[in-house]
Amino acid sequence: MVLMICALFPGMMISGDCESCSTEDVTPYTSQYLRESSLETDEMLDTLFQNISKKTELLTEMLKNVPSKEDEELSSLIDDFYTDYIYYLHYNYQKATLETVSAMTSESNNYLLINEIDKQIERSELEMAFLQYENLTREVDAQYDILRLYYAPTEDTQVEYGVVFDNILFLYKELTNLNTRYARLMTEYNISLQAEKQEILMRSLVICDTPGTGDSLQSYQQYYMASFAWVKAWVGVYSSQVPNTDYFIGEFCTGTKNTLDGYLAIANDEYDPWNVGSIQVKYFFIANQSTHQHNAIYEGNRSNYNLNGNYSIGGRQVSFTNGTGWTYGVSYDGSSTPSNGNYRFYVNADWFITYQACCIPSWPPDNTIYPQWCNKHCGGCFACDDGADQNFIIDEP
C-alpha cells in the first residue's frame, strides 16, 4: 500500500490531542524538513499534472465519437483520470500547507519560529470552506456518474459527453482553488493555536495507508450490511430556504436521535427562527460488510417554509413535500436502528484521504495511536470507514 501524509498538525484535524496520546512523533518543525517536503511535493505535482494533461487530451478526443458499447480503454482512462485528480488535490493541499508554514515562520538554527499572529481564523470560516468543498465534490461525482455511462445513454436523453467532461474540468479548477484555500485556513488556524503556547513550531505526522482493495463500497451496488450502530447526527443550519453553503450560519452535533422537525425546533431555538431558513441533517451509523466496517448515512433537509417540488441542494435536485426532502430519496424516522439486510449507497469515494485522517487512541490505553479514516464535524472524528468513503443510503430492505 502507498503511504500518504494525511495531517501535518495536531488539533482540529484529529480526535483529541495526539500529543497526549503519544509524543514519539511530535518534534520541532525544521527548515530542512520544510525544504525537502516542498521539493518532494512539487515533484509529485509536476508528475501528476503531466499525467492529467495527457489524459485530458486523450479523453477529449475519445469522447468526440462515443462508442455505443463499453470500451475497456475508455473506461480505464476515465477511472485513472479520477484517481490522478484525487492525488493531485492531496499534494496541492500539501503544497498550500507548506507555503503557509513558510509564510508564518522564521528560520532560527534550523528550527522554525512562529511569527506574530495578526488575525485569528474563526472556526466558522473553516466549517464553511469544508462544507463548500463537500458540496462541490458531490457535483464532480454526479458528473462522473453521467460520464461513466457513456456507452449506455438513456433512451430519451442525448448526452453530450464532451460537455460533461468540460464541466468536470471546470469543477476541478474550482475544487483546486477551494482545496488551496482550505489548506491555508487550516494551517493558519493550527499555527495560531500553537503560537499561544510556544515559539517553535511543532509537527506531528499522521501516516496512513490508502484504502486497500475491497475496502470500499461502490455506488449503486447492493451490499449485505449487518450490526448497525447509531453514532450521532450532524445538523447544519442555513439562512436560505433550502440548505445552501453560501448561507451557512452554524452547526451542532448530537448523540440524541430526533426527527427533522425536532432538530429544526432546536435550530430555531438556538439561532432564532427569523434567522433560520433551513437545516440539513446527516444521521450517522456504522455497519459491517463482510470483514470491513463502513459508515452509513441518511441525509435529510428541512425548511422553515412549506416547500413542495424540486430544489437544488449541493448540485442535486431534491424533492420536497411540505418542507421536507431527502437528498438520496430514502427517509429516516429519527428513532429506529437500521436492520440487517441488503443496501445500496451513493458513495463519496476516497472522501477522507485529504482531510480526514484521525488519531484514535487504543483501548485499553497503551500509548499507541491508530490512524483511521473518519467523518469530521464539530471538532471530533466519528463514524470511521475502512474505505475512506462517505456512504449515503439510497435503497434499503
Side-chain angles (χ1 to χ4, degrees):
M1 290 186 179
V2 179
L3 288 176
M4 298 177 66
I5 300 172
C6 306
L8 290 175
F9 296 92
M12 188 176 177
M13 298 286 287
I14 50 186
S15 179
D17 182 356
C18 275
E19 284 190 61
S20 65
C21 301
S22 172
T23 59
E24 293 180 4
D25 294 326
V26 180
T27 58
Y29 215 126
T30 67
S31 305
Q32 180 181 356
Y33 173 83
L34 184 65
R35 287 191 292 270
E36 290 175 352
S37 297
S38 296
L39 287 172
E40 179 185 353
T41 299
D42 286 341
E43 183 179 344
M44 289 300 303
L45 281 171
D46 287 343
T47 300
L48 287 165
F49 180 78
Q50 291 174 22
N51 291 341
I52 289 168
S53 297
K54 291 177 182 177
K55 291 181 175 70
T56 298
E57 291 180 7
L58 288 171
L59 280 170
T60 300
E61 187 63 31
M62 294 178 76
L63 290 169
K64 288 180 180 178
N65 299 298
V66 183
S68 58
K69 61 181 181 179
E70 185 169 8
D71 180 283
E72 185 174 339
E73 181 184 0
L74 181 52
S75 295
S76 177
L77 191 58
I78 291 171
D79 290 340
D80 288 347
F81 184 85
Y82 179 83
T83 301
D84 280 351
Y85 242 110
I86 287 176
Y87 281 94
Y88 183 84
L89 289 170
H90 169 79
Y91 284 102
N92 181 74
Y93 186 93
Q94 293 273 78
K95 180 179 177 65
T97 297
L98 295 168
E99 288 177 345
T100 307
V101 168
S102 179
M104 296 184 69
T105 58
S106 300
E107 183 176 348
S108 177
N109 296 323
N110 196 37
Y111 293 120
L112 298 181
L113 302 182
I114 301 173
N115 299 333
E116 184 176 349
I117 306 296
D118 296 325
K119 176 177 175 280
Q120 297 289 331
I121 301 298
E122 297 293 331
R123 283 282 297 273
S124 59
E125 191 173 3
L126 284 173
E127 295 294 345
M128 170 70 79
F130 179 79
L131 287 170
Q132 289 174 337
Y133 194 92
E134 183 178 56
N135 281 338
L136 199 54
T137 300
R138 287 188 198 166
E139 290 186 41
V140 173
D141 285 346
Q143 291 295 304
Y144 269 113
D145 287 345
I146 298 172
L147 190 62
R148 289 188 176 106
L149 293 176
Y150 64 85
Y151 60 91
T154 57
E155 295 180 0
D156 58 347
T157 304
Q158 292 297 319
V159 179
E160 295 185 37
Y161 291 99
V163 174
V164 174
F165 185 57
D166 287 342
N167 290 340
I168 290 173
L169 295 176
F170 174 78
L171 290 170
Y172 267 136
K173 183 177 181 181
E174 290 193 350
L175 200 60
T176 302
N177 291 336
L178 187 53
N179 176 281
T180 300
R181 177 172 175 266
Y182 186 78
R184 288 172 177 165
L185 288 173
M186 180 61 74
T187 308
E188 290 176 17
Y189 179 84
N190 282 298
I191 290 179
S192 67
L193 292 181
Q194 290 199 33
E196 296 175 2
K197 304 176 184 177
Q198 59 202 25
E199 292 183 350
I200 297 177
L201 182 62
M202 307 296 286
R203 63 185 175 92
S204 176
L205 300 183
V206 181
I207 308 298
C208 304
D209 288 342
T210 56
T213 302
D215 292 354
S216 296
L217 303 179
Q218 300 297 317
S219 288
Y220 311 115
Q221 300 297 309
Q222 193 174 73
Y223 296 92
Y224 184 81
M225 310 297 294
S227 303
F228 278 84
W230 162 250
V231 180
K232 67 172 62 180
W234 169 83
V235 183
V237 187
Y238 306 83
S239 60
S240 50
Q241 67 175 3
V242 297
N244 182 330
T245 54
D246 291 336
Y247 298 93
F248 177 78
I249 59 175
E251 65 169 0
F252 59 91
C253 292
T254 176
T256 302
K257 293 179 182 178
N258 211 328
T259 62
L260 292 181
D261 284 345
Y263 288 134
L264 179 63
I266 295 172
N268 284 334
D269 183 59
E270 180 74 19
Y271 295 95
D272 192 319
W274 291 105
N275 297 325
V276 178
S278 60
I279 61 171
Q280 182 174 83
V281 180
K282 294 178 184 176
Y283 295 91
F284 288 94
F285 294 87
I286 54 173
N288 295 328
Q289 188 275 318
S290 184
T291 59
H292 298 293
Q293 187 174 77
H294 296 282
N295 59 56
I297 311 166
Y298 292 94
E299 182 171 290
N301 308 279
R302 185 69 172 90
S303 176
N304 255 333
Y305 304 88
N306 190 36
L307 301 178
N308 289 281
N310 293 328
Y311 294 83
S312 178
I313 298 178
R316 289 183 171 273
Q317 290 297 306
V318 178
S319 177
F320 277 76
T321 302
N322 297 327
T324 298
W326 295 90
T327 305
Y328 300 95
V330 180
S331 62
Y332 172 65
D333 66 7
S335 63
S336 62
T337 297
S339 58
N340 296 352
N342 292 314
Y343 289 78
R344 292 193 306 143
F345 300 90
Y346 176 79
V347 180
N348 274 342
D350 298 336
W351 179 244
F352 303 135
I353 281 182
T354 303
Y355 298 125
Q356 307 304 93
C358 292
C359 216
I360 309 297
S362 64
W363 185 260
D366 63 0
N367 292 325
T368 302
I369 53 175
Y370 297 95
Q372 293 187 27
W373 305 107
C374 306
N375 285 275
K376 171 73 177 63
H377 285 297
C378 304
C381 291
F382 57 88
C384 302
D385 184 84
D386 284 350
D389 307 319
Q390 273 194 328
N391 307 297
F392 294 89
I393 296 172
I394 61 174
D395 190 25
E396 57 187 1

